[in-house]
Amino acid sequence: MLIVMKPRATASETEAVVDVITAIGLRAHPMPGATRTAIGITGNEGPIDGRRFENLPGVAEVIRVTKPYKLVTLDLHPDKTVVRVGDATIGGSEIAIIAGPCAIESREQAFTVAKAVQKSGARFFRGSIWKPRTSPYTFQGLGDKAWQIMTEIRDAFGLKVVTEAVEESHVGLIEKYGDVIQIGARNMQNFSLLKRAGRSKLPVLLKRGMAATLEEWLLAAEYIMAEGNYNVILCERGVRTFAQHTRNTLDLASVPAIRRISHLPVIVDPSHGTGTAYMVTPLARAGIAVGADGLMVEVHNRPELALSDSAQALTPSQYAQLIEEVHAVRNVMPPAADGLNAN
Ligand code: PEP
Ligand code: MN
């Protein structure tokens, strides 16, 4: 159920509707928009009798939601969500660049890469502290001791720190020392982790599961939002197919497909999406061309020595070239195709 308030409805009228929702044991999610506020209702297992809301002051319309998701939809929030992290944004007019190594390996490695990516326009620094690896015998990340390095990078370069919470206990540490909680492809349907991230005040970058449909992915975002955290960024990172020329098949059609359904920002990860450095820049250009709000790119000062995802890491100079090219693509795009008003 979705309650749309009249454009001139007052804050106290909205508040009164929220009170009724709470009084019947459900949760209200008021979403102020440019022209009106809509209130999503969650917590009901069956249909709600919407007629009780019809005559409340300020209510314009009561809409029964027939789709499985509610809070992610444009029905609830017709304007695009812009996620703000300090002075940086994801979903606004700038191309949001999240760049850095696959994993934090050493102080020297992390600082060299952070300096390089900041110089070429990244506002966000990525680097895993805990690595969810396919094999238990490969590098699992430095763990908690990487926070010292991350904190110094955050202070020295003013970059916002994005790192993956592999389990619930990691969320508290990211809240303490980081800026954005990443949920990885392998955890896209780890529902207790999604709920914990949903109770955080930090934005959540939600990667697409490696075999997830669009609906499953959006429902994972819905889990986070249903807990009250509306700052969710979707990240297309490819899905498993029969293709052998790439690590994953980067599903760029998901970007306009999501745009049609959801107000959430979408970024593209051409690094995990291809698995090989020579394809990263072409797919990054394509990601921007289909309307992505930003990119996640893996960069290493010595890719050949990287402890994880060595084949897909760009050198700092390849990364700088990528940034130039994606801006060139964005600059020739018609305004309606940049994803801001492509509905
Ligand atoms: C990552 O970004 O570090 C990562 C592990 O990616 P994914 O979850 O998309 O495989
Ligand atoms: Mn990686």
Side-chain angles (χ1 to χ4, degrees), residues 92-218:
S93 55
E94 64 181 325
I95 302 177
I97 304 291
I98 303 173
C102 182
I104 302 297
E105 299 171 1
S106 68
R107 197 171 183 286
E108 198 214 335
Q109 170 245 20
F111 265 75
T112 312
V113 177
K115 193 168 171 201
V117 299
Q118 190 221 27
K119 197 170 141 223
S120 313
R123 309 294 306 277
F124 299 87
F125 181 69
R126 63 147 291 143
S128 294
I129 285 178
W130 307 281
K131 286 293 322 157
R133 300 303 301 279
T134 302
S135 163
Y137 306 122
T138 53
F139 178 61
Q140 305 281 310
L142 287 184
D144 293 350
K145 55 181 184 288
W147 278 123
Q148 180 64 35
I149 301 169
M150 274 301 207
T151 324
E152 286 177 30
I153 283 177
R154 199 177 181 218
D155 292 347
F157 300 103
L159 289 162
K160 319 290 176 205
V161 162
V162 181
T163 202
E164 179 172 348
V166 179
E167 54 183 63
E168 278 174 73
S169 68
H170 296 160
V171 176
L173 288 161
I174 302 175
E175 285 170 330
K176 206 160 158 192
Y177 303 115
D179 300 289
V180 176
I181 302 161
Q182 180 172 324
I183 307 266
R186 290 155 192 80
N187 266 322
M188 191 205 79
Q189 285 188 317
N190 179 338
F191 299 116
S192 56
L193 181 61
L194 296 174
K195 286 187 195 171
R196 172 62 187 89
R199 292 192 294 275
S200 178
K201 298 258 180 296
L202 291 188
V204 181
L205 188 146
L206 178 66
K207 290 199 141 191
R208 180 177 183 178
M210 51 183 87
T213 63
L214 224 58
E215 185 170 305
E216 288 162 341
W217 187 15
L218 289 170

Side-chain angles (χ1 to χ4, degrees), residues 13-64:
E13 285 169 343
T14 303
E15 199 54 42
V17 175
V18 168
D19 287 347
V20 175
I21 296 167
T22 315
I24 58 172
L26 302 176
R27 182 158 184 170
H29 301 266
M31 300 269 174
T35 54
R36 43 76 156 172
T37 292
I39 308 170
I41 305 179
T42 60
N44 54 303
E45 277 168 12
I48 311 168
D49 178 8
R51 301 205 48 202
R52 70 172 84 236
F53 299 104
E54 259 172 33
N55 297 303
L56 292 178
V59 171
E61 203 183 348
V62 179
I63 302 171
R64 249 196 81 214

Side-chain angles (χ1 to χ4, degrees), residues 102 126 131 247 272 298 309 312:
C102 182
R126 63 147 291 143
K131 286 293 322 157
R247 178 180 180 183
H272 296 89
E298 286 191 347
D309 289 350
Q312 70 195 34

